[in-house]
Amino acid sequence: MAMMPKRVKWRKSQRGKIRGVAQRGNKVAFGEYGLQVLSGGWITARQIEAGRVAATHFLRREGRVYVRIFPHKPVSAKPLETRMGKGKAEPAYWVACVREGAVIYEIGGVEEEIARGALMRVANKMPYRCRFVKRRHGL
Amino acid sequence: MAETLTLKAEARDQIGTRAARAIRAAGRLPAIIYGHGEGVQTVTLEHHEVEVALEHGAHTLHIELAGKSQQCLIKDVQYDHMNATPVHMDLTRVDLDERVKVTVGIELRGTPKGATHGGLLDLHMSAIELECRVTDIPEVVRPIVTELEVGDSLLVKDLDLPEGVNPTGDPNERIVTIHAPVTAVSDDEATEESEDGGVEPERIGRVRKDEEEGKSGS
């Protein structure tokens, strides 16, 4: 099931701007290998779920997949053939805001080649260019 | 222990973001040397040489500055937002027979028996803090995990470290655990309800009456 918050304070949010680069969440922290986005923007809950499913299928239940982002932001969309105006539309889907450098998926417990294959499949499902990264041990 | 590389440093008098950016643009890396009661020295190092040293797992460096050579321990390395390129390095002066605390990476050797039987290898620690002499710093700690079955754990006290090298943390801390295979929800079941936007999340706090009516009316 696509991710979305269980409880929210406000149903609708403004679009906002994504400024700067990832100052945190930019390191592989849970698994051994990760997928890092090379540009910032929105990633929808469906895209996140598609990536998770692709990685899980590729790994055939081996290893562990970590999803490092969560779609906190509701996006409104007006229905088709509706006139403009009459207030803000109802929330249609949820997105995660990511900045350049954010590690969005991680994989642990498998060999590098398998992790690379899985994360490359995930990268194909992402709306931005991504790169494969390894955990930095020590310095 | 990795071979100690010798790097030529140049003193720098300009500090601050703009000066550091200019140094990086010129292919050098801003660094700082401190410790042993001597003054703090801001220097620049050849960027490529630093990257080579880090790639080879170096923990100590010989720094040649103004014709004087000094043994330094790499205390900290700052990376850019992509966690790829070093942007600054902290070095501390050390004596060869001094005991220091260093963080060394953990690299597992072998495939655990439990993992071949469907278990899941969970790495809790990717690096460990050790206390040892400067000359004895291991490049990386390589525990052999081939004998671990499902449910087994490798603890810090189980590590086979060289003489004189001691872990500083809790000896009962786990490094690796082999978990039993998890019967996860199948992806087909999981994707059944993937229609997002169908259910709205619960509202926190008091909802205005007119808002609620408007919602039910629309």
Side-chain angles (χ1 to χ4, degrees), chain B residues 69-107:
Chain B
S69 179
Q70 48 193 328
Q71 181 85 13
C72 291
L73 177 77
I74 303 173
K75 195 80 175 166
D76 191 25
V77 183
Q78 267 180 276
Y79 290 89
D80 65 348
H81 69 282
M82 298 300 282
N83 198 25
T85 316
V87 291
H88 189 268
M89 191 183 232
D90 276 26
L91 299 159
T92 179
R93 300 181 189 96
V94 283
D95 287 331
L96 287 178
D97 55 348
E98 197 176 327
R99 286 188 78 80
V100 289
K101 282 181 185 175
V102 284
T103 306
V104 176
I106 296 174
E107 210 174 81

Side-chain angles (χ1 to χ4, degrees), chain A residues 97-110:
Chain A
C97 299
V98 295
R99 294 200 176 103
E100 179 189 324
V103 174
I104 54 174
Y105 288 91
E106 288 182 22
I107 287 178
V110 290

Side-chain angles (χ1 to χ4, degrees), chain A residues 1-11 21-23 26-28 30-32 36-39 44-46 49 52-54 56-57 61-64 66 90-94 100-102 108-111 131 133-139, chain B residues 54 58-59 74-77 79-85 103-107 111 118-127 140 179 182 184-205 211 215 218:
Chain A
M1 184 173 173
M3 294 189 286
M4 70 174 177
K6 281 198 179 76
R7 300 168 78 215
V8 290
K9 192 152 188 183
W10 309 107
R11 289 179 59 229
V21 293
Q23 300 291 342
N26 57 357
K27 294 184 178 80
V28 180
F30 297 96
E32 279 294 291
Q36 190 178 40
V37 283
L38 301 180
S39 60
T44 67
R46 283 185 175 209
E49 178 64 11
R52 190 195 65 78
V53 170
T56 317
H57 276 192
R61 304 273 164 80
E62 278 181 26
R64 193 165 169 188
Y66 302 86
E90 291 301 306
Y93 56 97
W94 294 80
E100 179 189 324
V110 290
E111 297 291 318
R131 70 176 192 140
V133 285
K134 285 193 250 182
R135 190 172 189 149
R136 190 184 296 285
H137 296 276
L139 292 166
Chain B
L54 292 172
H59 284 279
I74 303 173
K75 195 80 175 166
D76 191 25
V77 183
Y79 290 89
D80 65 348
H81 69 282
M82 298 300 282
N83 198 25
T85 316
T103 306
V104 176
I106 296 174
E107 210 174 81
T111 308
L120 176 65
L121 186 146
D122 199 358
L123 184 67
H124 303 293
M125 290 169 77
S126 65
V140 68
H179 292 297
V182 184
V185 183
S186 79
D187 290 322
D188 303 332
E189 285 171 42
T191 50
E192 257 177 28
E193 298 177 65
S194 64
E195 291 299 316
D196 48 4
V199 188
E200 275 207 16
E202 183 192 335
R203 287 284 302 278
I204 300 169
E211 201 177 305
K215 196 183 147 191
S218 64

